[in-house]
Amino acid sequence: MEKLAELDRELFLFLNNLGSEQWDWLWIAISDKWMAIPLYAILLYLIFKKFGLKPTLLTLVVVALLITATDQLANLFKHGFERPRPCRQEGVMEYARFIAVRCGRFGYFSAHAANSMGVAVFLSLLFQKHYPKIFVFLLFWAAVVSYSRIYLGVHYPGDIITGMMIGGIFGFGFFKLRQYLAARILKGSGEA
């Protein structure tokens, strides 16, 4: 296990030190949850356009539950494992580029990675019949948001990989929940 942790630290330092001051502003912006609002607005419009009002409202509720679930599970893991973030771990923080606004105490696993991957998988499955190639864009977006956490110096690659895997599983599960609820709630209205 220690060998794996050492590999994670080495990979973190390599990836984190690829950054440069001229691009710091961009990665800070990518990691900022409010910067995704234009993307979410476009995706919300596409959902409304393809499915109508009631299915859009149902989708919003399920996505809110998805994000809440991945967020809370990440908090549970962080306080359960108590793995220090790279920006707080001696022997790592001295060699890393830390440019985030703040550095929390624990980092296993990344909620940013879980949330973005969960939403990407969920929406890719939702749009698969209407926009079959959107999954490429959404998965790329999730990967970039996830990498931004390494760039900023607040997560190890292992935190990111775990977060993306959990987010993918939750995205699939909450998509299935939406299908079930749509069949039960919207069955009579002809909407899905």
Side-chain angles (χ1 to χ4, degrees):
M1 207 56 179
E2 182 55 39
K3 187 71 174 162
L4 193 58
E6 180 61 32
L7 180 63
D8 204 21
R9 287 190 288 271
E10 288 175 17
L11 184 57
F12 164 78
L13 288 171
F14 172 75
L15 293 171
N16 173 262
N17 281 292
L18 290 175
S20 68
E21 283 186 35
Q22 76 181 55
W23 294 107
D24 288 353
W25 67 272
L26 175 66
W27 291 100
I28 289 169
I30 288 170
S31 195
D32 186 346
K33 62 185 174 194
W34 300 111
M35 291 300 290
I37 288 177
L39 173 63
Y40 291 149
I42 292 167
L43 293 168
L44 184 61
Y45 169 75
L46 292 175
I47 294 168
F48 178 75
K49 182 179 162 189
K50 288 295 175 189
F51 300 103
L53 180 61
K54 288 180 185 175
T56 299
L57 293 175
L58 175 63
T59 301
L60 281 174
V61 169
V62 173
V63 167
L65 290 172
L66 163 64
I67 291 171
T68 301
T70 54
D71 237 25
Q72 293 310 306
L73 186 61
N75 286 335
L76 187 66
F77 269 60
K78 286 174 185 171
H79 294 288
F81 285 95
E82 293 187 348
R83 179 184 188 194
R85 290 178 183 259
C87 48
R88 289 199 182 260
Q89 188 164 20
E90 289 184 30
V92 176
M93 63 185 188
E94 298 87 0
Y95 306 104
R97 298 179 72 250
F98 173 68
I99 61 165
V101 177
R102 63 180 188 82
C103 179
R105 288 178 56 200
F106 307 120
Y108 185 77
F109 62 88
S110 169
H112 274 77
N115 290 340
S116 58
M117 184 56 76
V119 170
V121 167
F122 178 91
L123 292 177
S124 293
L125 292 169
L126 185 67
F127 285 134
Q128 67 186 346
K129 292 178 186 167
H130 306 287
Y131 306 106
K133 295 182 181 176
I134 200 168
F135 80 93
V136 174
F137 170 76
L138 290 172
L139 295 180
F140 177 76
W141 165 76
V144 168
V145 169
S146 298
Y147 171 73
S148 74
R149 308 305 288 167
I150 296 170
Y151 187 99
L152 297 180
V154 295
H155 279 292
Y156 289 105
D159 304 341
I160 300 302
I161 292 166
T162 303
M164 291 178 81
M165 288 175 21
I166 289 173
I169 292 166
F170 273 58
F172 178 79
F174 276 84
F175 172 73
K176 290 298 187 183
L177 174 64
R178 187 217 176 266
Q179 281 185 312
Y180 172 78
L181 293 174
R184 301 275 310 211
I185 297 170
L186 305 174
K187 181 172 60 172
S189 67
E191 302 174 67

